[in-house]
Amino acid sequence: MKHPHAILAALALGVAGLTAQDATPVPQPAMENFMQRSEKSQATLIENSNEILRRIGGIEKTLGKAGTVAATPDVSALEARLRELETKLATAPAAPETQASAEDKSAQTSVNAVWIVLTAALVFFMQAGFCMLELGFTRAKNAINICMKNFLDFCVGTLCFLFLGFGLMFGHSVAGLFGTGPFWISDVPANNMLWSFWFFQLVFCGTAATIISGAMAERTKFVGYLIFTALITGVLYPVIGHWAWGSFGGAFGYGGGKGWLEQLGYLDFAGSSVVHSIGGAAALAGVLVVGPRIGRFKSDGTANLISGHNMPLATLGVFILWLGWYGFNPGSTLVGDVNIGRIAVNTTIAPAAGAIAGMFAMWLHQGRPDLGMTINGALGGLVGITANCNLVAPASALVIGLVAGVIATFGSLLLERLKIDDAVGAVPVHLFCGWWGILSVAIFNEAGFSPHQLGVQALGVASITAAAFGASFIGFLLIDKIVGLRASEDEQDLGLDFTEHSGAAYPDFITGEQGLP
C-alpha cells in the first residue's frame, strides 16, 4: 500500500465495528443457534472486509487530490523529548525507601546484632569449657595454676586485641599481609554494628590463645605464659588471621582489603585454621621448647601414664565446649537467617561421629574404650567441621567427623611415640584436625570437588601452620632465655599451685609430694 497510516486507521475502524457487532448476548449453546451465529459471523466478516477496502480507497483518493503524501510522520521532536527523559531518569537519585522497607531493614540489623552478640557470648563460655577440660586432664596440685592461666589469658588478650590486634587483623590491608588500623575505635558511635563484630572476633582470638595452656600444662611458668599470651593475641594471631579474613571488617565499615590467601580464594568459614591451627601450631612449638613433664617418659623412651585427677570434670568441659561451638559455627554467618539451621546440624553430627570413632579407635588399640580419647574425638569432630560447616551436607559432616575422631586418637599416640608431651591432646585435636577440616572444604564441597581449590586450601593451611609454628617457637625461645619458661623439677614435684600461687585448690587433701613423709 502507498499509505500505511491510512490503512492502519481503516483497519482499526473495521475491527471496532466487528467488535461492536459481536458484543451481543450469547444464547444457549444449542446446535441450531450455533450454526446460525456462525453463518451470521461469516457474512459480517465479509461485509467488514469490503468496507475496509472501500475506506482505504477513499482515503488514498483524498490524499492524492490534496497532494499531501506523508510516508513517515515527523517524530524527531518526540525522540528528542524521550532522550531528555531517559537522561533525567539515569541521573536521578534513587527513590527513597518506603517506611515499610526501612523498618524491615532496621529490624534485620537489630536481629543480626543480637545474633552476633549472643553467639559471641557462647564462644566466650568456651573459656570455662577449656578450663574444666584442662583441670580434669591434669593433676590436682596444678589446678589453681590452670584456672589462673585460663582466666588471665582472656583478660590479657582482650586489652591486646583492643589496642593492637583488631587493627592488625581487619584494618586497611598492606599487600594482603597485615592491617594498619585505625587502631583507636573508642569514638565509634554506640549504635554502630562494628562493636558486635569486634566482640565476636575478640572471643575467637581468646580461643586461639587458651588452646596453648592445656598442651603446656603442669610445667610452664605463669609469667612466661602471660607474656606469650600478649604476643599471640596482639600480633601473631591477628597478622596471620589477616591473610584469610582481612576483608571481613569491611561489611561493618572498618578497614578493607583482602589478605593474600583470601585473594587466592582460600576458604575457612569459622576458623579450623585461623583459630585452631594457629593455636595448635603455637601449642606444638610451646611443648617442644618447654619439654615434657618430669616423669612423663622413662629413660628408655617409653611413656608413663600421668592420669588426670577428675575426668568427670573434663567431660563437663567438653559438653561446655560443644555448646559453645553453636556460637562458633552458626554465629560465623554474622547474620540471623535460615542458614544457621543446617550449620547447627552439621556442628552436631560431626562431633557425635568423632566421639564414636575415637572410642572405637582406642578400643581396637588397647582392648578397652577410653574416656579421654572419646571426648577428644568429639572435639576433633568439632574442629574438623568448623571450616566447612556452611558448604557440606550432613552426610559429609558424618564422614568428616569420623575421620577427625581417628586423627585425634592416633595423633595423640604419634606424639607419645615421638616423646612430645601434650598434657591434654591439644595438638592432635586443634592442629591435625584443623588440617583435615581445611582440606575437607574442597573434598566435600556441595558444589563439587575442585583440585584447584584443594591446592589453595593446602597452600593456605601449610602457610598458616608454618608461620604460626615458626613465630611461636622463636617467641617461646626468647621468653625462656629472658624470664624463664620451664618450672624446675622441685616446682613440678610440689605443684605449681604452691610454688607459683602459694595456694592449694583442695586444702583438705594431699595434692603434691610436699605432704608425703
Side-chain angles (χ1 to χ4, degrees):
M1 294 293 180
K2 298 180 181 178
H3 307 290
H5 296 88
I7 295 171
L8 290 175
L11 286 172
L13 291 173
V15 173
L18 179 60
T19 303
Q21 294 177 24
D22 284 347
T24 56
V26 179
Q28 294 296 325
M31 181 58 69
E32 294 180 359
N33 291 337
F34 173 76
M35 294 298 296
Q36 292 174 0
R37 285 187 283 110
S38 178
E39 293 175 356
K40 183 178 180 181
S41 296
Q42 292 177 11
T44 302
L45 181 59
I46 293 172
E47 291 177 2
N48 286 336
S49 299
N50 293 331
E51 179 64 24
I52 289 171
L53 293 174
R54 285 194 297 270
R55 293 188 183 187
I56 290 173
I59 291 171
E60 288 179 340
K61 290 178 181 179
T62 301
L63 292 175
K65 291 178 181 180
T68 56
V69 179
T72 57
D74 184 8
V75 296
S76 59
L78 292 176
E79 291 177 348
R81 179 59 176 165
L82 180 59
R83 286 194 297 270
E84 180 183 353
L85 292 175
E86 289 175 345
T87 302
K88 289 183 178 181
L89 181 62
T91 58
E97 289 184 320
T98 63
Q99 182 178 356
S101 63
E103 290 177 353
D104 290 344
K105 183 177 180 180
S106 177
Q108 183 62 55
T109 300
S110 298
V111 169
N112 295 346
V114 172
W115 173 247
I116 293 171
V117 171
L118 285 178
T119 52
L122 284 174
V123 178
F124 168 73
F125 193 46
M126 291 173 69
Q127 294 287 134
F130 279 114
C131 186
M132 298 299 101
L133 173 67
E134 293 170 24
L135 279 174
F137 267 102
T138 55
R139 290 167 290 187
K141 62 183 179 180
N142 299 303
I144 291 177
N145 184 259
I146 295 291
C147 292
M148 286 290 289
K149 289 175 179 175
N150 278 272
F151 195 86
L152 266 296
D153 61 23
F154 188 82
C155 296
V156 171
T158 296
L159 301 184
C160 293
F161 195 69
L162 172 64
F163 291 111
L164 183 60
F166 186 72
L168 287 174
M169 189 164 186
F170 298 106
H172 297 290
S173 184
V174 176
L177 298 175
F178 58 89
T180 58
F183 294 96
W184 182 253
I185 60 173
S186 183
D187 54 357
V188 173
N191 62 349
N192 196 303
M193 280 288 290
L194 179 63
W195 292 118
S196 299
F197 178 71
W198 184 91
F199 179 44
F200 191 81
Q201 295 303 326
L202 166 67
V203 293
F204 273 49
C205 179
T207 299
T210 204
I211 290 170
I212 303 162
S213 171
M216 300 175 65
E218 299 197 292
R219 75 276 201 190
T220 305
K221 285 184 172 292
F222 182 65
V223 174
Y225 174 77
L226 289 188
I227 293 174
F228 185 80
T229 295
L231 177 64
I232 190 172
T233 56
V235 181
L236 298 186
Y237 171 82
V239 169
I240 301 173
H242 179 83
W243 300 351
W245 290 354
S247 69
F248 287 14
F252 300 88
Y254 181 85
K258 295 182 177 181
W260 70 272
L261 284 177
E262 198 178 357
Q263 294 174 23
L264 296 177
Y266 182 74
L267 299 176
D268 184 357
F269 180 69
S272 286
S273 64
V274 174
V275 177
H276 297 283
S277 291
I278 290 177
L284 178 59
V287 297
L288 291 176
V289 173
V290 78
R293 291 167 288 179
I294 296 296
R296 180 66 176 94
F297 297 104
K298 301 176 183 178
S299 57
D300 62 359
T302 58
N304 285 318
L305 176 64
I306 299 180
S307 298
H309 84 282
N310 195 333
M311 290 306 293
L313 192 63
T315 306
L316 174 62
V318 174
F319 273 120
I320 294 173
L321 289 170
W322 192 332
L323 174 65
W325 238 284
Y326 292 120
F328 219 98
N329 289 358
S332 291
T333 60
L334 301 177
V335 176
D337 62 13
V338 296
N339 292 313
I340 63 179
R342 196 180 73 165
I343 294 175
V345 170
N346 287 341
T347 307
T348 304
I349 292 173
I356 293 172
M359 178 189 69
F360 277 110
M362 197 61 185
W363 202 337
L364 293 173
H365 177 74
Q366 69 175 15
R368 61 183 62 85
D370 180 83
L371 175 59
M373 291 298 184
T374 301
I375 59 180
N376 267 354
L379 293 178
L382 286 165
V383 172
I385 199 65
T386 296
N388 51 69
C389 56
N390 65 321
L391 297 174
V392 303
S396 298
L398 173 66
V399 178
I400 292 169
L402 289 172
V403 175
V406 175
I407 291 173
T409 298
F410 287 105
S412 295
L413 297 175
L414 174 63
L415 293 185
E416 189 176 277
R417 183 179 293 272
L418 296 174
K419 302 179 185 178
I420 298 174
D421 183 15
D422 179 350
V424 300
V427 173
V429 166
H430 297 280
L431 181 59
F432 300 165
C433 292
W435 293 345
W436 166 240
I438 288 297
L439 298 179
S440 295
V441 170
I443 297 171
F444 296 99
N445 195 319
E446 277 188 310
F449 172 73
S450 169
H452 172 73
Q453 187 65 48
L454 182 61
V456 171
Q457 297 300 109
L459 172 64
V461 74
S463 301
I464 288 173
T465 301
F469 177 81
S472 298
F473 192 83
I474 294 173
F476 278 122
L477 281 177
L478 292 175
I479 293 171
D480 189 40
K481 295 295 183 183
I482 297 172
V483 299
L485 188 64
R486 180 178 174 84
S488 67
E489 184 173 345
D490 288 341
E491 289 172 331
Q492 292 185 52
D493 285 340
L494 293 171
L496 299 184
D497 287 1
F498 179 75
T499 59
E500 291 262 87
H501 310 287
S502 299
Y506 307 98
D508 294 334
F509 300 91
I510 297 174
T511 58
E513 283 74 2
Q514 74 273 19
L516 297 177

